């Protein structure tokens, strides 16, 4: 049975179910029990499971990550949340030097089953220290798993998989997805880590996307479709490990690749997708692979600057059109999009 | 002291045995290091044996211990396997970390030695996390964290102590103050006159200092707080002064570098913790020179066996370079 709930509700539901299923699951982070409950995702948890398992924490991201590591070594499954990915950077030492390599460094004898929820996003002047998309950093570290669910169902399914995975998992939520509704299965629903999902099927070009950019891609694909271009849209869901087979299979069919990312372009996940496809599918490609990501600069704050900084459906339509030899009028996108560019609009709600 | 020794003869001898064991292990590593078979950095703890031994003996087997890059003593003091430690330093598949960790990354879960790692301060929150898990699981274990005076200069130390105090976690913090962080003396790192244990007390964590070269003092001081920690009194912090004899990293002496004086080194050598305890036990008549000789022979035989085991053990298969990245 499925029913329509939001991405934030799906995360909350996954937390409740995980904590009901296994009493070793604990949840902490700045503000997890405050009135807003981390954008609604942790509301009610303390009331249901008590302050021993659900608690606010000192502003000590690094130590509290180490605390999660130590607790996990004795059978606890901590889920840590951070209101902004940027705040978690203080904890890179514990994440990289301990969590990621503890299993390897001790010859596989111990593992670190922790889940770190990081919220990122863009818009409304979040600026240089409140909107960094550093998924490629995390994906670069051997020993970490990194997931970026796009849909509400995947948010639930991947969070449950992350919590019950025996490894450290970085679970990245885009704030512009939190209010997105989708059909979400009830019960213990798991989405395997490392498996991508094909959201649209087409023959002319493969679009590999992740997180919020997938929403922009879905909108772009509608326009492209009306202009006679059909697309394979692969939503990565996991950026470490990446589902290469699905990507290669699609590119071998369409012969064209456009990789999207929510992050700065250089050294991004999109860059890795382009690199691997170039190496593995070189003879199949009919044109040079392309990527759409953010410029290599910190996120500006002014709406005048974010307008050119952020990327979306228009850019995707233009690029895919160019790659398939068509000039497409993107005017209808702006007709649909009545909201300013720096707030998430309701111009696309699904279904997926 | 005399009363303790006469009442606790077995413990008194055990303390000596363990200290001698660590001393002879470290000195054997130093002697054989230039054979080039041990191909990883080693941070020897010669001169610092007493804290490791006293704490390791006072703790129960099911208590957790976690440590730093200079962990040989802490590992052996807790009862970790010597054979597997030497094999680890040799990079062999029989090593305690299957050759993937080396001297700085030791583990022996059979005695709850939960790991050591080389980023200064890095294991302090992990030890506190083990403390949190003990509280959640409602057992009466203790989580003991070993670290040096350099670690308390890392921010993570304050974050960790704060949380341990806040949640009254069963954590035993053991700071071995050997006055140097690599070659940087305390005076360039911390204001003159500061006592680390006093600063920690101001954070709400009860604390004491002590002579880290006096194995009985350390043993009794630590022992006197364990019950309270087990009963939920919260963390306790000890600062024990001690001194490493050999170079920061490696098997040589490094007094020629000029970062510390020969006089300082010699004055600490006179405070040799192993020798001091041996003399006390001899004078107390609980042990004879013949017993000591037998003890040393036994230890040396075990060390020789451990090195032999390490040398004869196979290296890991090269296929293992990329295994065990993830747990299944």
């Amino acid at each position: 049975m499925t029913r329509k709930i939001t991405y934030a509700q799906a995360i909350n539901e996954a937390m409740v179910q995980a904590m009901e299923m296994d009493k070793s699951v604990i949840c902490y982070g700045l503000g997890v029990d405050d009135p807003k409950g981390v954008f609604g995702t942790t509301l009610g948890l303390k009331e249901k499971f008590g302050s021993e398992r659900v608690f606010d924490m000192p502003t000590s991201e690094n130590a509290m990550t180490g605390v999660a590591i130590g607790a996990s070594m004795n059978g606890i499954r901590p889920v840590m949340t951070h209101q902004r990915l940027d705040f978690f950077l203080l904890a890179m030492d514990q994440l990289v030097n301990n969590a990621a390599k503890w299993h390897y460094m001790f010859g596989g004898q111990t593992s670190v089953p922790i889940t770190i929820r990081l919220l990122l996003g863009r818009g409304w002047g979040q600026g240089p220290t409140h909107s960094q998309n550093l998924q490629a950093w995390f994906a670069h570290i051997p020993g970490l798993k990194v997931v970026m669910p796009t849909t509400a169902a995947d948010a639930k399914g991947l969070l449950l998989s992350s919590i019950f995975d025996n490894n450290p998992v970085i679970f990245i939520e885009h704030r512009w997805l939190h209010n997105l509704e989708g059909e979400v299965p009830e019960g213990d629903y798991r989405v395997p880590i490392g498996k991508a999902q094909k959201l649209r099927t087409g023959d002319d070009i493969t679009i590999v996307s992740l997180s919020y950019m997938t929403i922009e891609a879905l909108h772009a694909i509608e326009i492209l479709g009306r202009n006679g271009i059909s697309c394979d849209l692969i939503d990565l869901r996991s950026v470490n490990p990446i589902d290469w087979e699905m990507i290669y299979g699609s590119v071998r069919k369409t012969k064209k690749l456009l990789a999207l990312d929510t992050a700065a372009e250089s050294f991004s996940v999109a860059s890795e997708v382009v690199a691997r496809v170039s190496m593995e599918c070189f003879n199949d490609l009919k044109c040079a692979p392309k990527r759409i990501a953010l410029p290599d600069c910190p996120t500006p704050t002014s709406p005048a600057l974010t307008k050119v900084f952020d990327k979306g459906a228009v850019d995707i339509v233009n690029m895919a059109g160019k790659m398939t030899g068509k000039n497409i009028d993107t005017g209808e996108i702006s007709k649909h999009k009545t909201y300013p560019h720096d707030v998430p609009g309701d111009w696309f709600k699904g279904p997926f | 002291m005399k009363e303790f020794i006469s009442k606790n003869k077995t413990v008194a001898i055990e303390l000596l045995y363990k200290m001698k064991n660590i001393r002879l292990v470290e000195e054997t590593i130093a002697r054989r290091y230039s054979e080039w078979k041990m191909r990883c950095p080693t941070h020897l703890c010669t001169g610092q044996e007493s804290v490791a031994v006293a704490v390791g003996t006072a703790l129960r087997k099911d208590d957790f211990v976690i440590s730093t890059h200079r962990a040989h003593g802490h590992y052996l003091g807790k009862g970790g396997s010597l054979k597997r430690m030497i094999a680890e330093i040799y990079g062999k598949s029989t090593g305690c970390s299957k050759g993937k960790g080396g001297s700085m990354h030791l583990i022996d879960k059979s005695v709850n030695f939960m790991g050591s790692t080389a980023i200064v301060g890095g294991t302090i929150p992990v030890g506190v996390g083990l403390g949190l898990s003990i509280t959640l699981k409602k057992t009466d274990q203790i989580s003991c964290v070993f670290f040096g005076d350099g670690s308390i200069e890392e921010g993570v130390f304050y974050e960790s102590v704060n949380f341990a105090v806040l949640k009254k976690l069963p954590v035993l913090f053991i700071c071995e103050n050997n006055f140097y962080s690599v070659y940087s003396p305390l005076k360039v790192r911390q204001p003159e006159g500061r006592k680390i244990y006093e600063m920690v007390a101001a954070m709400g964590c009860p604390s004491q200092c002590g002579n880290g070269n006096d194995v009985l003092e350390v043993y009794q001081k630590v022992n006197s707080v364990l019950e309270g920690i087990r009963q939920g009194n919260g963390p306790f912090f000890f600062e024990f002064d001690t001194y490493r004899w050999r170079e920061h990293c490696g098997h040589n002496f490094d007094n020629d570098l000029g970062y510390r004086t020969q006089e300082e080194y010699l004055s600490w050598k006179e405070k040799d913790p192993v020798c001091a305890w041996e003399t006390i036990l001899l004078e107390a008549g609980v042990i004879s020179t013949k017993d000591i000789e037998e003890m040393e022979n036994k230890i040396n035989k075990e060390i020789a066996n451990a090195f032999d085991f390490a040398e004869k053990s196979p290296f890991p298969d090269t296929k293992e370079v990329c295994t065990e990245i993830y747990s299944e």
Side-chain angles (χ1 to χ4, degrees):
Chain A
M1 276 290 284
T2 68
R3 76 258 103 98
K4 212 176 235 186
I5 55 174
T6 67
Y7 188 96
Q9 285 166 337
I11 285 170
N12 187 272
E13 187 171 286
M15 283 305 303
V16 170
Q17 286 179 356
M19 296 188 80
E20 276 171 352
M21 277 187 273
D22 185 343
K23 70 176 196 322
S24 70
V25 177
I26 64 171
C27 165
Y28 65 86
L30 267 188
V32 295
D33 57 354
D34 74 14
K36 290 195 168 179
V38 193
F39 303 91
T41 59
T42 57
L43 284 176
L45 294 182
K46 187 176 179 178
E47 290 70 23
K48 272 198 182 82
F49 302 104
S51 57
E52 206 177 40
R53 291 176 66 194
V54 183
F55 53 89
D56 210 332
M57 70 171 202
T59 320
S60 306
E61 290 78 5
N62 198 33
M64 294 311 294
T65 305
V67 164
I69 294 166
S72 75
M73 281 157 54
N74 190 29
I76 304 297
R77 290 188 179 273
V79 181
M80 259 184 105
T81 73
H82 298 271
Q83 312 252 4
R84 295 287 187 281
L85 176 147
D86 317 63
F87 307 163
F88 180 66
L89 300 189
L90 288 156
M92 286 303 277
D93 167 48
Q94 284 297 323
L95 181 78
V96 177
N97 278 319
N98 284 348
K101 55 180 69 112
W102 208 267
H103 184 69
Y104 184 87
M105 185 161 81
F106 295 114
Q109 292 171 80
T110 49
S111 56
V112 173
I114 63 176
T115 303
I116 312 272
R117 286 181 51 209
L118 302 179
L119 277 60
L120 51 70
R122 66 176 177 188
W124 202 245
Q126 295 284 329
T129 61
H130 272 57
S131 59
Q132 294 169 86
N133 285 256
L134 298 173
Q135 53 267 22
W137 276 27
F138 302 114
H140 185 67
I141 310 300
L144 296 180
K145 292 187 179 180
V146 185
V147 300
M148 299 185 80
T150 304
T151 69
D154 285 350
K156 175 176 175 179
L158 277 169
L159 185 53
L160 280 169
S161 292
S162 301
I163 293 170
F164 294 109
D165 194 284
N166 283 331
N167 299 281
V169 183
I170 306 295
F171 185 94
I172 301 178
E173 299 159 34
H174 197 293
R175 287 194 307 283
W176 280 24
L177 298 172
H178 272 150
N179 293 321
L180 204 73
E181 285 185 338
E183 292 290 332
V184 178
E186 290 174 344
D188 182 5
Y189 171 67
R190 313 256 179 126
V191 170
I193 294 173
K195 293 280 175 223
Q197 186 178 25
K198 195 175 277 186
L199 290 176
R200 293 288 184 271
T201 304
D203 297 322
D204 297 320
I205 185 168
T206 297
I207 299 178
V208 175
S209 180
L210 51 78
S211 191
Y212 175 71
M213 278 306 271
T214 301
I215 304 302
E216 295 283 346
L218 283 164
H219 193 61
I221 283 167
E222 272 192 29
I223 318 279
L224 289 163
R226 286 201 282 277
N227 286 273
I229 301 165
S230 72
C231 308
D232 253 8
L233 174 62
I234 295 173
D235 181 43
L236 284 177
R237 302 200 286 196
S238 298
V239 298
N240 187 16
I242 284 186
D243 190 348
W244 293 113
E245 288 316 309
M246 184 181 280
I247 297 171
Y248 299 156
S250 171
V251 171
R252 283 178 186 132
K253 177 183 71 175
T254 66
K255 323 285 187 198
K256 293 186 171 103
L257 168 71
L258 172 59
L260 311 180
D261 207 324
T262 59
E265 184 170 313
S266 298
F267 312 102
S268 59
V269 174
S271 303
E272 182 65 19
V273 170
V274 167
R276 292 255 184 171
V277 165
S278 303
M279 292 190 295
E280 297 296 323
C281 310
F282 188 74
N283 290 331
D284 297 297
L285 288 169
K286 282 276 171 61
C287 70
K290 294 283 182 187
R291 59 190 179 186
I292 294 175
L294 303 181
D296 292 328
C297 63
T299 313
T301 303
S302 163
L305 297 176
T306 51
K307 208 163 196 172
V308 292
F309 177 81
D310 289 332
K311 297 287 178 274
V314 171
D315 306 281
I316 299 166
V317 169
N318 283 335
M319 183 68 83
K322 209 183 283 175
M323 290 172 76
T324 51
K326 289 202 176 173
N327 228 334
I328 300 165
D329 177 17
T330 51
E332 71 172 290
I333 296 177
S334 39
K335 257 184 270 159
H336 280 80
K337 209 170 177 179
T338 52
Y339 284 77
H341 75 280
D342 55 358
V343 295
D346 61 358
W347 58 284
F348 195 93
K349 277 192 164 175
F352 307 111
Chain B
M1 183 183 287
K2 274 183 185 158
E3 197 191 335
F4 175 87
I5 294 169
S6 61
K7 277 188 184 163
N8 303 278
K9 199 176 146 188
T10 321
V11 176
I13 294 171
E14 187 187 345
L15 293 173
L16 180 65
Y17 184 91
K18 282 182 167 176
M19 279 202 293
K20 272 193 177 292
N21 183 44
I22 294 170
R23 169 68 55 87
L24 291 169
V25 168
E26 296 295 70
E27 293 303 287
T28 310
I29 293 170
R31 196 176 70 247
R32 298 184 61 165
Y33 199 76
S34 49
E35 292 170 4
W36 266 62
K37 291 176 184 166
M38 290 175 266
R39 306 287 290 276
C40 65
T42 50
H43 301 74
L44 302 177
C45 68
T46 305
Q48 299 192 180
E49 297 87 351
S50 45
V51 177
V53 164
V55 175
T57 307
L59 291 171
R60 289 195 322 227
K61 189 177 170 183
D62 68 337
D63 290 330
F64 294 117
V65 164
I66 199 139
S67 175
T68 67
H69 54 284
R70 199 180 303 284
H72 295 179
H74 307 144
Y75 170 96
L76 294 171
K78 186 69 171 48
S81 159
L82 172 63
K83 272 186 171 176
R84 299 194 68 202
M85 182 181 103
I86 301 297
E88 187 58 37
I89 299 172
Y90 270 74
K92 295 300 181 75
S93 64
T94 53
C96 59
S97 302
K98 293 202 211 156
K100 283 175 169 166
S103 159
M104 295 188 284
H105 307 109
L106 304 174
I107 190 167
D108 190 338
K109 285 176 77 181
S110 69
V111 293
N112 272 2
F113 187 87
M114 299 301 281
S116 67
T117 193
I119 304 298
V120 167
T123 36
I124 298 175
V126 180
V128 171
L130 283 162
L132 176 68
S133 73
I134 292 168
T135 304
L136 288 167
K137 293 188 158 194
K138 304 190 192 330
T139 66
D140 69 343
Q141 290 158 283
I142 285 172
S143 174
C144 169
V145 195
F146 284 105
F147 49 93
D149 46 298
S151 295
I152 73 112
E153 290 150 23
E154 298 284 359
V156 77
F157 168 73
Y158 300 88
E159 297 181 7
S160 302
V161 170
N162 178 56
F163 186 68
V165 173
L166 176 76
K167 295 277 179 179
K168 286 194 154 198
L169 300 179
V171 181
L172 177 65
F173 294 105
I174 303 285
C175 175
E176 288 171 305
N177 187 346
N178 69 8
F179 309 103
Y180 292 93
S181 177
V182 189
Y183 309 123
S184 304
L186 262 180
K187 69 173 182 214
V188 304
R189 298 186 287 114
Q190 295 180 33
E192 204 181 331
R194 169 188 286 167
K195 288 287 171 199
I196 295 170
Y197 77 98
E198 287 174 354
M199 185 177 65
V200 175
M203 297 172 72
C205 181
S207 70
Q208 277 180 32
C209 66
N211 176 2
N213 275 19
D214 183 335
V215 72
L216 181 61
E217 180 180 330
V218 177
Y219 179 78
Q220 289 183 312
K221 282 195 158 143
V222 168
N223 237 338
S224 72
V225 304
L226 293 184
E227 204 43 46
I229 301 177
R230 291 193 202 286
Q231 283 171 6
N233 290 359
F236 203 97
F237 180 97
F238 282 108
E239 176 187 2
F240 292 118
D241 290 348
T242 185
Y243 201 77
R244 76 171 146 78
W245 291 8
R246 291 184 179 269
E247 60 190 333
H248 159 68
C249 175
H251 60 297
N252 297 310
F253 293 97
D254 62 0
N255 299 331
D256 57 305
L257 294 177
Y259 75 99
R260 59 184 189 183
T261 64
Q262 185 73 2
E263 292 72 41
E264 180 186 285
Y265 163 74
L266 289 174
S267 76
W268 276 96
K269 228 183 148 190
E270 276 173 30
K271 300 176 201 161
D272 180 348
V274 188
C275 196
W277 189 238
E278 181 181 306
T279 307
I280 287 166
L281 294 194
L282 278 171
E283 282 170 1
V286 295
I287 199 162
S288 68
T289 48
K290 190 164 165 284
D291 294 335
I292 287 168
E293 203 176 302
E294 277 172 18
M295 195 183 266
E296 285 177 354
N297 285 341
K298 184 168 179 258
I299 291 168
N300 280 325
K301 202 176 272 175
E302 277 172 17
I303 293 172
N305 281 342
F307 275 82
D308 195 44
F309 172 76
E311 295 212 341
K312 286 183 178 149
S313 290
F315 279 111
D317 192 294
T318 49
K319 284 188 201 113
E320 284 175 40
V321 68
C322 270
T323 59
E324 288 156 345
I325 297 166
Y326 293 122
S327 169
E328 291 307 312

